Short mmCIF file of all heavy atoms in Angstrom, two decimals:
data_model
loop_
_atom_site.label_atom_id
_atom_site.label_comp_id
_atom_site.label_asym_id
_atom_site.label_seq_id
_atom_site.Cartn_x
_atom_site.Cartn_y
_atom_site.Cartn_z
N VAL A 318 -10.85 1.34 15.77
CA VAL A 318 -9.94 1.17 14.67
C VAL A 318 -8.56 1.66 14.99
O VAL A 318 -7.66 1.69 14.12
CB VAL A 318 -10.50 1.86 13.43
CG1 VAL A 318 -11.76 1.27 12.92
CG2 VAL A 318 -10.66 3.36 13.71
N GLY A 319 -8.26 1.97 16.33
CA GLY A 319 -6.93 2.28 16.74
C GLY A 319 -6.60 3.73 16.93
O GLY A 319 -5.44 4.11 17.13
N PHE A 320 -7.52 4.58 16.76
CA PHE A 320 -7.28 6.08 17.00
C PHE A 320 -7.30 6.33 18.53
O PHE A 320 -8.13 5.76 19.25
CB PHE A 320 -8.24 6.93 16.37
CG PHE A 320 -8.04 7.02 14.81
CD1 PHE A 320 -8.99 6.40 14.00
CD2 PHE A 320 -6.93 7.64 14.27
CE1 PHE A 320 -8.84 6.52 12.61
CE2 PHE A 320 -6.70 7.66 12.90
CZ PHE A 320 -7.70 7.11 12.05
N LYS A 321 -6.46 7.19 18.97
CA LYS A 321 -6.30 7.48 20.39
C LYS A 321 -6.58 9.02 20.61
O LYS A 321 -6.24 9.81 19.77
CB LYS A 321 -4.98 7.14 21.01
CG LYS A 321 -4.69 5.63 20.91
CD LYS A 321 -3.32 5.33 21.49
CE LYS A 321 -2.98 3.88 21.43
NZ LYS A 321 -1.66 3.48 21.95
N SER A 322 -7.13 9.35 21.77
CA SER A 322 -7.32 10.74 22.07
C SER A 322 -6.15 11.40 22.76
O SER A 322 -5.88 12.50 22.49
CB SER A 322 -8.59 10.89 23.01
OG SER A 322 -8.44 10.15 24.14
N ASN A 323 -5.49 10.63 23.54
CA ASN A 323 -4.29 11.20 24.24
C ASN A 323 -3.02 10.81 23.52
O ASN A 323 -2.61 9.67 23.50
CB ASN A 323 -4.26 10.64 25.69
CG ASN A 323 -3.07 11.32 26.44
OD1 ASN A 323 -2.43 12.26 26.02
ND2 ASN A 323 -2.86 10.78 27.68
N LYS A 324 -2.37 11.75 22.83
CA LYS A 324 -1.25 11.48 22.04
C LYS A 324 0.07 11.95 22.69
O LYS A 324 1.14 11.57 22.13
CB LYS A 324 -1.42 12.10 20.66
CG LYS A 324 -2.58 11.57 19.87
CD LYS A 324 -2.62 12.18 18.53
CE LYS A 324 -3.81 11.58 17.66
NZ LYS A 324 -3.79 12.11 16.27
N LEU A 325 -0.01 12.69 23.77
CA LEU A 325 1.24 13.19 24.34
C LEU A 325 1.71 12.13 25.34
O LEU A 325 1.15 11.96 26.42
CB LEU A 325 1.02 14.53 25.06
CG LEU A 325 2.16 15.18 25.78
CD1 LEU A 325 3.29 15.44 24.76
CD2 LEU A 325 1.71 16.41 26.50
N VAL A 326 2.85 11.52 25.03
CA VAL A 326 3.26 10.40 25.85
C VAL A 326 4.77 10.44 26.19
O VAL A 326 5.19 9.94 27.23
CB VAL A 326 3.02 9.08 25.22
CG1 VAL A 326 1.54 8.74 25.16
CG2 VAL A 326 3.56 8.96 23.76
N LEU A 327 5.59 11.01 25.40
CA LEU A 327 7.06 11.07 25.62
C LEU A 327 7.62 12.49 25.61
O LEU A 327 7.10 13.34 24.88
CB LEU A 327 7.81 10.21 24.63
CG LEU A 327 7.48 8.70 24.66
CD1 LEU A 327 8.28 7.95 23.58
CD2 LEU A 327 7.95 8.11 26.07
N GLY A 328 8.78 12.63 26.23
CA GLY A 328 9.43 13.98 26.23
C GLY A 328 10.95 13.83 26.38
O GLY A 328 11.48 12.68 26.29
N LYS A 329 11.62 14.93 26.55
CA LYS A 329 13.06 14.84 26.55
C LYS A 329 13.68 14.10 27.77
O LYS A 329 14.88 13.69 27.73
CB LYS A 329 13.72 16.27 26.49
CG LYS A 329 13.42 17.13 27.76
CD LYS A 329 14.10 18.47 27.52
CE LYS A 329 13.84 19.39 28.77
NZ LYS A 329 14.53 20.68 28.61
N HIS A 330 12.90 13.86 28.73
CA HIS A 330 13.38 13.09 29.94
C HIS A 330 13.08 11.61 29.77
O HIS A 330 13.50 10.80 30.68
CB HIS A 330 12.79 13.60 31.18
CG HIS A 330 13.13 15.12 31.40
ND1 HIS A 330 14.38 15.49 31.63
CD2 HIS A 330 12.32 16.15 31.60
CE1 HIS A 330 14.38 16.81 31.86
NE2 HIS A 330 13.12 17.21 31.82
N SER A 331 12.44 11.19 28.72
CA SER A 331 12.20 9.82 28.58
C SER A 331 13.43 9.02 28.17
O SER A 331 14.32 9.48 27.48
CB SER A 331 11.12 9.58 27.41
OG SER A 331 9.93 10.27 27.73
N GLY A 332 13.48 7.75 28.65
CA GLY A 332 14.67 7.04 28.43
C GLY A 332 14.49 6.00 27.23
O GLY A 332 13.38 5.94 26.61
N ARG A 333 15.54 5.35 26.83
CA ARG A 333 15.56 4.46 25.70
C ARG A 333 14.63 3.36 25.79
O ARG A 333 13.94 2.94 24.86
CB ARG A 333 16.98 3.96 25.48
CG ARG A 333 17.25 3.21 24.11
CD ARG A 333 18.69 2.65 24.12
NE ARG A 333 19.60 3.66 24.60
CZ ARG A 333 20.23 4.49 23.78
NH1 ARG A 333 20.03 4.49 22.46
NH2 ARG A 333 21.14 5.38 24.24
N HIS A 334 14.39 2.81 27.01
CA HIS A 334 13.48 1.70 27.21
C HIS A 334 12.03 2.10 26.98
O HIS A 334 11.33 1.43 26.28
CB HIS A 334 13.66 1.10 28.66
CG HIS A 334 12.75 -0.11 28.92
ND1 HIS A 334 11.57 0.03 29.57
CD2 HIS A 334 12.91 -1.42 28.57
CE1 HIS A 334 11.02 -1.25 29.61
NE2 HIS A 334 11.83 -2.09 29.07
N ALA A 335 11.68 3.22 27.49
CA ALA A 335 10.28 3.69 27.31
C ALA A 335 10.07 3.99 25.85
O ALA A 335 8.95 3.76 25.31
CB ALA A 335 10.08 5.00 28.12
N PHE A 336 11.12 4.53 25.16
CA PHE A 336 10.96 4.89 23.72
C PHE A 336 10.82 3.54 22.91
O PHE A 336 9.93 3.48 22.03
CB PHE A 336 12.28 5.55 23.26
CG PHE A 336 12.20 5.94 21.83
CD1 PHE A 336 11.44 6.98 21.36
CD2 PHE A 336 13.01 5.27 20.93
CE1 PHE A 336 11.40 7.30 19.99
CE2 PHE A 336 13.05 5.64 19.57
CZ PHE A 336 12.21 6.74 19.08
N LYS A 337 11.58 2.52 23.33
CA LYS A 337 11.43 1.25 22.62
C LYS A 337 10.08 0.62 22.85
O LYS A 337 9.48 0.11 21.84
CB LYS A 337 12.54 0.25 23.11
CG LYS A 337 12.58 -1.01 22.32
CD LYS A 337 13.71 -1.90 22.74
CE LYS A 337 13.72 -3.25 21.96
NZ LYS A 337 14.90 -4.09 22.34
N GLU A 338 9.52 0.71 24.05
CA GLU A 338 8.18 0.23 24.30
C GLU A 338 7.19 0.95 23.50
O GLU A 338 6.18 0.42 23.02
CB GLU A 338 7.89 0.35 25.81
CG GLU A 338 8.71 -0.65 26.67
CD GLU A 338 8.39 -2.16 26.30
OE1 GLU A 338 7.18 -2.46 26.19
OE2 GLU A 338 9.41 -2.88 26.09
N LYS A 339 7.36 2.25 23.33
CA LYS A 339 6.40 3.07 22.55
C LYS A 339 6.44 2.62 21.08
O LYS A 339 5.41 2.50 20.45
CB LYS A 339 6.72 4.55 22.67
CG LYS A 339 5.94 5.41 21.73
CD LYS A 339 4.45 5.21 21.68
CE LYS A 339 3.84 5.57 22.97
NZ LYS A 339 2.31 5.43 23.00
N LEU A 340 7.66 2.35 20.55
CA LEU A 340 7.76 1.85 19.13
C LEU A 340 7.07 0.54 19.00
O LEU A 340 6.32 0.32 17.95
CB LEU A 340 9.27 1.68 18.76
CG LEU A 340 10.12 2.99 18.75
CD1 LEU A 340 11.55 2.61 18.34
CD2 LEU A 340 9.51 3.94 17.80
N ILE A 341 7.15 -0.32 19.93
CA ILE A 341 6.44 -1.64 19.85
C ILE A 341 4.91 -1.39 19.88
O ILE A 341 4.22 -1.99 19.11
CB ILE A 341 6.86 -2.57 21.05
CG1 ILE A 341 8.34 -2.97 20.89
CG2 ILE A 341 6.01 -3.71 21.11
CD1 ILE A 341 8.86 -3.70 22.10
N GLU A 342 4.48 -0.52 20.74
CA GLU A 342 3.10 -0.16 20.82
C GLU A 342 2.53 0.38 19.52
O GLU A 342 1.43 0.14 19.10
CB GLU A 342 2.77 0.87 21.94
CG GLU A 342 1.39 1.32 22.06
CD GLU A 342 1.24 2.46 23.09
OE1 GLU A 342 1.99 2.51 24.03
OE2 GLU A 342 0.43 3.34 22.79
N LEU A 343 3.40 1.19 18.76
CA LEU A 343 3.01 1.76 17.53
C LEU A 343 3.15 0.80 16.32
O LEU A 343 2.85 1.25 15.25
CB LEU A 343 3.81 3.07 17.29
CG LEU A 343 3.61 4.26 18.21
CD1 LEU A 343 4.55 5.34 17.97
CD2 LEU A 343 2.15 4.67 18.20
N GLY A 344 3.71 -0.39 16.67
CA GLY A 344 3.69 -1.38 15.52
C GLY A 344 5.01 -1.55 14.80
O GLY A 344 5.08 -2.18 13.79
N TYR A 345 6.13 -0.99 15.34
CA TYR A 345 7.45 -1.11 14.62
C TYR A 345 8.07 -2.42 15.06
O TYR A 345 8.01 -2.89 16.18
CB TYR A 345 8.32 0.12 14.96
CG TYR A 345 7.91 1.35 14.21
CD1 TYR A 345 7.22 2.33 14.87
CD2 TYR A 345 8.20 1.53 12.87
CE1 TYR A 345 6.78 3.52 14.24
CE2 TYR A 345 7.77 2.69 12.25
CZ TYR A 345 7.10 3.63 12.88
OH TYR A 345 6.68 4.78 12.22
N HIS A 346 8.87 -2.89 14.08
CA HIS A 346 9.68 -4.06 14.30
C HIS A 346 11.12 -3.82 13.94
O HIS A 346 11.66 -4.06 12.91
CB HIS A 346 9.22 -5.21 13.39
CG HIS A 346 7.70 -5.40 13.40
ND1 HIS A 346 7.07 -6.28 14.22
CD2 HIS A 346 6.70 -4.83 12.64
CE1 HIS A 346 5.74 -6.22 14.05
NE2 HIS A 346 5.49 -5.34 13.08
N LEU A 347 11.81 -3.12 14.95
CA LEU A 347 13.20 -2.59 14.69
C LEU A 347 14.22 -3.40 15.38
O LEU A 347 14.05 -3.90 16.49
CB LEU A 347 13.27 -1.08 15.15
CG LEU A 347 12.24 -0.10 14.54
CD1 LEU A 347 12.59 1.29 15.05
CD2 LEU A 347 12.18 -0.25 13.05
N GLU A 348 15.35 -3.49 14.69
CA GLU A 348 16.50 -4.07 15.37
C GLU A 348 17.13 -2.98 16.35
O GLU A 348 16.77 -1.78 16.25
CB GLU A 348 17.67 -4.40 14.28
CG GLU A 348 17.14 -5.36 13.26
CD GLU A 348 16.84 -6.75 13.85
OE1 GLU A 348 17.38 -7.09 14.83
OE2 GLU A 348 16.03 -7.45 13.20
N GLN A 349 17.97 -3.43 17.28
CA GLN A 349 18.50 -2.58 18.36
C GLN A 349 19.20 -1.38 17.74
O GLN A 349 19.11 -0.16 18.18
CB GLN A 349 19.37 -3.29 19.29
CG GLN A 349 19.84 -2.46 20.53
CD GLN A 349 18.61 -2.04 21.38
OE1 GLN A 349 17.67 -2.74 21.62
NE2 GLN A 349 18.62 -0.72 21.62
N GLU A 350 19.97 -1.65 16.63
CA GLU A 350 20.76 -0.52 16.02
C GLU A 350 19.78 0.49 15.47
O GLU A 350 20.04 1.74 15.56
CB GLU A 350 21.65 -1.08 14.92
CG GLU A 350 22.48 0.02 14.28
CD GLU A 350 23.37 -0.58 13.21
OE1 GLU A 350 23.58 -1.79 13.19
OE2 GLU A 350 23.88 0.16 12.39
N GLU A 351 18.65 0.06 14.97
CA GLU A 351 17.67 1.00 14.38
C GLU A 351 16.94 1.77 15.51
O GLU A 351 16.64 2.94 15.41
CB GLU A 351 16.63 0.25 13.59
CG GLU A 351 17.18 -0.43 12.29
CD GLU A 351 16.26 -1.34 11.63
OE1 GLU A 351 15.47 -2.07 12.40
OE2 GLU A 351 16.24 -1.51 10.44
N VAL A 352 16.74 1.14 16.62
CA VAL A 352 16.14 1.77 17.76
C VAL A 352 17.05 2.88 18.25
O VAL A 352 16.64 3.98 18.58
CB VAL A 352 15.81 0.77 18.90
CG1 VAL A 352 15.43 1.52 20.17
CG2 VAL A 352 14.78 -0.26 18.55
N ASN A 353 18.38 2.55 18.31
CA ASN A 353 19.33 3.56 18.72
C ASN A 353 19.42 4.78 17.86
O ASN A 353 19.45 5.92 18.33
CB ASN A 353 20.76 2.93 18.80
CG ASN A 353 20.86 1.84 19.84
OD1 ASN A 353 20.08 1.85 20.81
ND2 ASN A 353 21.86 0.97 19.73
N THR A 354 19.26 4.59 16.50
CA THR A 354 19.30 5.65 15.60
C THR A 354 18.07 6.48 15.68
O THR A 354 18.17 7.76 15.78
CB THR A 354 19.37 5.09 14.07
OG1 THR A 354 20.57 4.31 13.96
CG2 THR A 354 19.37 6.19 13.09
N ALA A 355 16.94 5.84 15.81
CA ALA A 355 15.69 6.57 16.00
C ALA A 355 15.61 7.36 17.35
O ALA A 355 15.11 8.45 17.42
CB ALA A 355 14.48 5.61 15.96
N PHE A 356 16.25 6.74 18.44
CA PHE A 356 16.25 7.34 19.67
C PHE A 356 17.05 8.61 19.66
O PHE A 356 16.68 9.68 20.29
CB PHE A 356 16.71 6.37 20.77
CG PHE A 356 16.68 6.94 22.16
CD1 PHE A 356 15.50 7.19 22.85
CD2 PHE A 356 17.91 7.21 22.88
CE1 PHE A 356 15.48 7.65 24.12
CE2 PHE A 356 17.89 7.76 24.13
CZ PHE A 356 16.66 7.99 24.75
N ALA A 357 18.17 8.59 19.03
CA ALA A 357 19.02 9.73 18.91
C ALA A 357 18.33 10.88 18.21
O ALA A 357 18.39 12.04 18.58
CB ALA A 357 20.34 9.37 18.12
N ALA A 358 17.57 10.55 17.08
CA ALA A 358 16.79 11.52 16.37
C ALA A 358 15.63 12.12 17.26
O ALA A 358 15.34 13.27 17.20
CB ALA A 358 16.26 10.94 15.12
N PHE A 359 15.08 11.20 18.05
CA PHE A 359 14.01 11.64 18.99
C PHE A 359 14.53 12.68 19.98
O PHE A 359 13.84 13.63 20.27
CB PHE A 359 13.51 10.40 19.66
CG PHE A 359 12.67 10.70 20.86
CD1 PHE A 359 11.40 11.16 20.78
CD2 PHE A 359 13.11 10.39 22.16
CE1 PHE A 359 10.64 11.43 21.92
CE2 PHE A 359 12.38 10.66 23.28
CZ PHE A 359 11.15 11.20 23.16
#
Side-chain angles (χ1 to χ4, degrees):
V318 295
F320 287 112
K321 297 180 180 179
S322 56
N323 184 7
K324 295 184 178 181
L325 180 60
V326 289
L327 293 178
K329 66 179 181 178
H330 299 298
S331 300
R333 194 181 311 268
H334 183 261
F336 181 72
K337 184 176 181 179
E338 289 300 311
K339 171 52 65 176
L340 293 181
I341 293 171
E342 178 188 326
L343 294 175
Y345 285 102
H346 312 269
L347 305 186
E348 302 295 334
Q349 188 57 47
E350 185 179 340
E351 295 169 326
V352 173
N353 293 341
T354 301
F356 183 68
F359 164 72

